[in-house]
Amino acid sequence: MESLGYLVSALTPFNLALALVGVFFGALIGALPGLSATMAVAVLVPFTFAMEPASGLIMLGAIYTGAVYGGAFAAILVNTPGTPSAIATTFDGFPMAKRGDGALAVTIATMSSVFGGVVGVMLLLLVAPPLATVALRFGPPEYFWLAILGLTLIAALSVGNTIKGIIACLIGLFLSMVGVAAVGGDVRFTLDNPALVGGVNVVAGLIGIYCIPVLIDLVIKDEPHLAVKEQQPGFQFRESLSILLGDKLNLLRSSVLGTLIGILPGAGGSIASLVSYAEARRASKESAKFGTGHPSGVIATESANNATVGGGLIPTMVLGIPGTPPDAIILGALLVQGIKIGPTLFTEQAAISYTFVFGLLIATLFMLPVGLLIGRYAYQGISAIPKAALVPLIAFMTIIGSYAIQNNFTDVVLMFSLGVMSWFLNRAGFPPSPIALGLVLGSIAEQGFVQTYLIGAAQQNVLGRFFGGPISIAIIVLILFGLLWPILQSAISKRKRTVETGEAQ
Amino acid sequence: MTPQSSTLTNILSGLAAAGLGTFIYLQSRHLSAMGSVFPTTIAVALVGAGLLLIVTTLLRPSLAEGSKTGALGTDSLKTPGRQEYWRGVALIVVMIAWLFSMRYLGLMLSGGIAFAAIAFVTGYGKMPLRRLLVIGVCGVAVVIGFTLLMTQALSIPVPRGRIF
């Protein structure tokens, strides 16, 4: 009954308006490549200081969840992840848009995001303290194996030539090593150029790797950028709902995975969506169709990345350890509002914390009407814009977006250089996604590897450190299962066929 | 691409990968033990993967053509429509000029000029010149509006030049 009171507090017209406005602006900012969820929350955080704590936090949560979702628009409509967590949405979202199913892809992404967001918030509401303690048990070896689990996705990303996929991933890992080493502080691979000491910014790199090749291809090809069906099908709500219901296991699994990965500090939406995509592909009976515009790919990535919102808030609110960068800003806002973070947050300051969580839940639900409306007109709008206007507009957004990350001109130059390099590599058959994967996971893998090695060497038990922990073993089993499953699957189906042929004879 | 050119591309790609691996390995020798362990691993893997690519291409040339498509994100290779490469080269040249001029002219002016130039590169010969001009002029307005939105409403800095 007490919870019902907090729900009523969250339902005031002012809080509802804040949630709606927050989701709307968050989705718009998230849709623009380079303007991430972190930036959206950071830019708008000062406006919340004058508000009541719960109201201010509801607005921040709404902006955050809206921005994570907004990344899907650019991913689906122009093959460019609006935020890093939408990388994997490009794999199937853009092929769907290219064949004229862009509106359907956006609606599926919206509904999946809402579902994933609700699962994340419900887990935050119901099981935050025990889950937060699990996150504390993640040390360097567990992070290393988690990064390796993400890297095994190369197999899925490079159908046709795995060696090229591995090389592309190694190039991404190399890019992640440029600059000051995370452990030890060595300055590496800068070619004595001071501008490279800061390394390759992940977001700028992703904008370049995904955006610039798209621009070049749009310019050189004599064909429309998106297919448009003669009869505009509307929101396609029923069709999307039936697709989601038909794939409910994938939806639920991806949402839970997203929440669990979101809990891990530093992991974030990009890893969550990539791992969920890999799992969805692995479990699907139509795994060969992934990457050609299969709705299950969009369902997996979009439910997972929005589930990280609730997941990331679990360690933030219970332990004071932010799960993702936007959580760190929300944590700062909580502290500015005078809220004491810790396990007692949900008891001693229940009024604020529960109102915030219920507000986040309402904001997540608001994503449905807001997303459907924006999505419908965004698809129609982008498909109607002539290429001669769309190409310079995207080019302008890539420049301004990569500059805005750190107000650094070097990021713009790096973004463009990596983009041109990625286009050439793409022409030679090296896919861009493994490069992005290596760039995103490189620092996590290296940090985990070196720290585990150092701790193991100090304890004279390097192998024990790498392979000893129960969580490490569980992740290693998952990795092995993932790598061996296709071989097992083909052996099983071969055996089945042999038995069936024998029976027929 | 012909199978021969795909084979050549694969061999050159393999050599480039092995070369990059060698570069990383040589650079890593000057680093501390902590800073070099990961780069050395990547270097060895790159050299190995590069050589493996060359060997597999030479042993099974049919794989070279097949590997051009199939991977996620290699959409451009799957749709063999008419391609005008001069437009791509022109786009890259315009963007390089944009990046260099931005430091002198600032985002608004350089962005406006670049917007019009890219619109011209994309639409030249495909639509009437008057329509192209209208797009260019509208684009300049979009650039100015967006720059003002970023700087005035969202307080996000944009590149400033020496002139503006």
Side-chain angles (χ1 to χ4, degrees):
Chain A
M1 279 311 284
E2 211 175 344
S3 302
L4 208 63
Y6 301 132
L7 177 62
V8 172
S9 321
L11 283 172
T12 63
F14 183 63
N15 284 346
L16 289 176
L18 284 177
L20 191 64
V21 170
V23 165
F24 181 76
F25 280 104
L28 279 187
I29 292 178
L32 303 174
L35 302 189
S36 60
T38 313
M39 197 181 289
V41 176
V43 164
L44 297 169
V45 79
F47 295 103
T48 63
F49 290 156
M51 298 175 190
E52 287 288 314
S55 302
L57 290 170
I58 286 172
M59 186 165 186
L60 286 180
I63 294 164
Y64 178 17
T65 195
V68 171
Y69 157 66
F73 290 129
I76 292 169
L77 301 178
V78 285
N79 198 25
T80 299
T83 56
S85 57
I87 295 174
T89 309
T90 60
F91 302 160
D92 285 286
F94 185 62
M96 281 182 81
K98 276 210 89 168
R99 68 166 183 243
D101 285 331
L104 179 68
V106 168
T107 305
I108 289 173
T110 306
M111 293 168 79
S112 307
S113 296
V114 171
F115 186 84
V118 168
V119 168
V121 176
M122 292 311 287
L123 286 174
L124 167 68
L125 201 63
L126 300 174
V127 286
L131 282 179
T133 48
V134 173
L136 277 182
R137 297 185 65 187
F138 263 73
E142 286 78 15
Y143 274 106
F144 170 70
W145 289 117
L146 188 67
I148 299 299
L149 176 66
L151 289 174
T152 56
L153 189 59
I154 303 165
L157 299 182
S158 47
V159 181
N161 194 331
T162 310
I163 303 171
K164 283 189 173 179
I166 291 169
I167 291 175
C169 182
L170 290 168
I171 292 170
L173 286 170
F174 164 65
L175 291 172
S176 77
M177 293 187 295
V178 174
V180 180
V183 183
D186 286 277
V187 178
R188 304 179 300 191
F189 316 115
T190 59
L191 304 170
D192 295 326
N193 185 349
L196 291 175
V197 172
V200 178
N201 181 280
V202 172
V203 179
L206 291 180
I207 294 173
I209 289 167
Y210 282 101
C211 256
I212 300 297
V214 170
L215 286 181
I216 299 173
D217 281 334
L218 276 175
V219 166
I220 65 171
K221 281 187 189 171
D222 193 19
E223 58 180 42
H225 50 288
L226 290 179
V228 183
K229 286 185 174 170
E230 273 182 24
Q231 231 184 354
Q232 286 300 330
F235 294 119
Q236 294 182 280
F237 190 82
R238 279 190 188 169
E239 194 182 345
S240 304
L241 190 65
S242 81
I243 289 172
L244 254 70
L245 288 175
D247 206 11
K248 46 188 177 291
L249 192 64
N250 175 23
L251 186 65
L252 190 65
R253 181 186 51 233
S254 304
S255 304
V256 173
L257 263 176
T259 311
L260 294 177
I261 294 173
I263 296 170
L264 307 174
S270 48
I271 297 182
S273 58
L274 286 165
V275 170
S276 300
Y277 183 85
E279 288 307 315
R281 188 177 190 273
R282 208 168 281 161
S284 173
K285 285 176 185 166
E286 298 178 322
S287 57
K289 287 186 183 171
F290 274 63
T292 60
H294 199 297
S296 297
V298 179
I299 292 171
T301 60
E302 281 308 305
S303 54
N305 64 23
N306 265 90
T308 59
V309 175
L313 283 168
I314 291 174
T316 311
M317 295 182 78
V318 179
L319 304 168
I321 302 169
T324 59
D327 289 326
I329 300 164
I330 292 177
L331 178 67
L334 283 163
L335 296 172
V336 168
Q337 297 276 13
I339 296 160
K340 201 175 150 196
I341 302 294
T344 56
L345 183 71
F346 284 93
T347 49
E348 288 175 10
Q349 296 172 88
I352 295 170
S353 47
Y354 278 110
T355 309
F356 165 51
V357 175
F358 280 123
L360 187 63
L361 189 65
I362 293 161
T364 307
L365 294 173
F366 272 149
M367 280 190 332
L368 192 62
V370 170
L372 289 178
L373 271 175
I374 298 179
R376 183 179 183 183
Y377 294 109
Y379 177 66
Q380 286 178 356
I382 288 189
S383 50
I385 296 175
K387 256 201 231 181
L390 185 68
V391 172
L393 188 65
I394 299 174
F396 180 71
M397 295 310 303
T398 61
I399 300 274
I400 208 166
S402 51
Y403 181 84
I405 300 160
Q406 303 184 110
N407 303 330
N408 190 345
F409 192 73
T410 308
D411 286 339
V412 184
V413 177
L414 275 173
M415 178 277 296
F416 182 69
S417 313
L418 288 178
V420 175
M421 180 196 83
S422 177
W423 185 78
F424 278 108
L425 285 172
N426 203 344
R427 303 299 292 186
F430 293 88
S433 299
I435 306 176
L437 202 63
L439 183 62
V440 171
L441 298 177
S443 59
I444 300 170
E446 179 176 14
Q447 208 167 328
F449 180 80
V450 177
Q451 283 178 343
T452 308
Y453 181 81
L454 288 175
I455 297 167
Q459 294 174 335
Q460 295 182 326
N461 184 19
V462 175
L463 285 178
R465 285 304 304 178
F466 272 104
F467 300 97
I471 299 175
S472 294
I473 293 170
I475 302 173
I476 292 167
V477 169
L478 262 178
I479 293 169
L480 290 175
F481 184 71
L483 290 174
L484 298 176
W485 177 241
I487 302 166
L488 282 172
Q489 208 173 16
S490 96
I492 291 166
S493 57
K494 206 173 175 182
R495 201 173 162 189
K496 257 186 188 171
R497 273 200 303 271
T498 319
V499 170
E500 279 169 8
T501 322
E503 278 173 1
Q505 283 171 349
Chain B
M1 261 190 204
T2 61
Q4 286 84 357
S5 67
S6 288
T7 304
L8 185 66
T9 307
N10 275 7
I11 290 171
L12 289 175
S13 303
L15 284 174
L20 178 65
T22 310
F23 165 77
I24 298 170
Y25 179 77
L26 293 174
Q27 291 276 310
S28 304
R29 287 167 63 193
H30 308 293
L31 301 172
S32 69
M34 270 192 292
S36 65
V37 60
F38 201 68
T40 307
T41 312
I42 300 299
V44 172
L46 255 174
V47 172
L51 295 178
L52 196 62
L53 181 63
I54 296 169
V55 171
T56 50
T57 305
L58 289 174
L59 291 178
R60 294 174 72 185
S62 59
L63 272 180
E65 187 60 20
S67 72
K68 300 292 292 178
T69 56
L72 300 184
T74 51
D75 253 3
S76 57
L77 306 169
K78 297 172 195 166
T79 46
R82 194 162 71 91
Q83 304 198 347
E84 297 174 289
Y85 285 97
W86 71 267
R87 291 186 198 270
V89 175
L91 175 73
I92 292 171
V93 170
V94 170
M95 287 197 74
I96 290 172
W98 184 5
L99 292 183
F100 277 105
S101 64
M102 201 187 301
R103 287 190 156 174
Y104 298 95
L105 303 177
L107 179 76
M108 217 189 286
L109 186 59
S110 67
I113 296 167
F115 195 107
I118 295 173
F120 187 76
V121 166
T122 312
Y124 175 74
K126 290 179 182 172
M127 55 176 66
L129 201 60
R130 182 181 278 186
R131 196 176 169 203
L132 208 53
L133 276 172
V134 172
I135 287 174
V137 171
C138 291
V140 173
V142 167
V143 168
I144 294 168
F146 209 90
T147 309
L148 292 174
L149 176 79
M150 295 288 274
T151 52
Q152 305 303 315
L154 296 173
S155 303
I156 297 173
V158 297
R160 290 180 70 93
R162 288 179 196 165
I163 300 174
F164 293 101

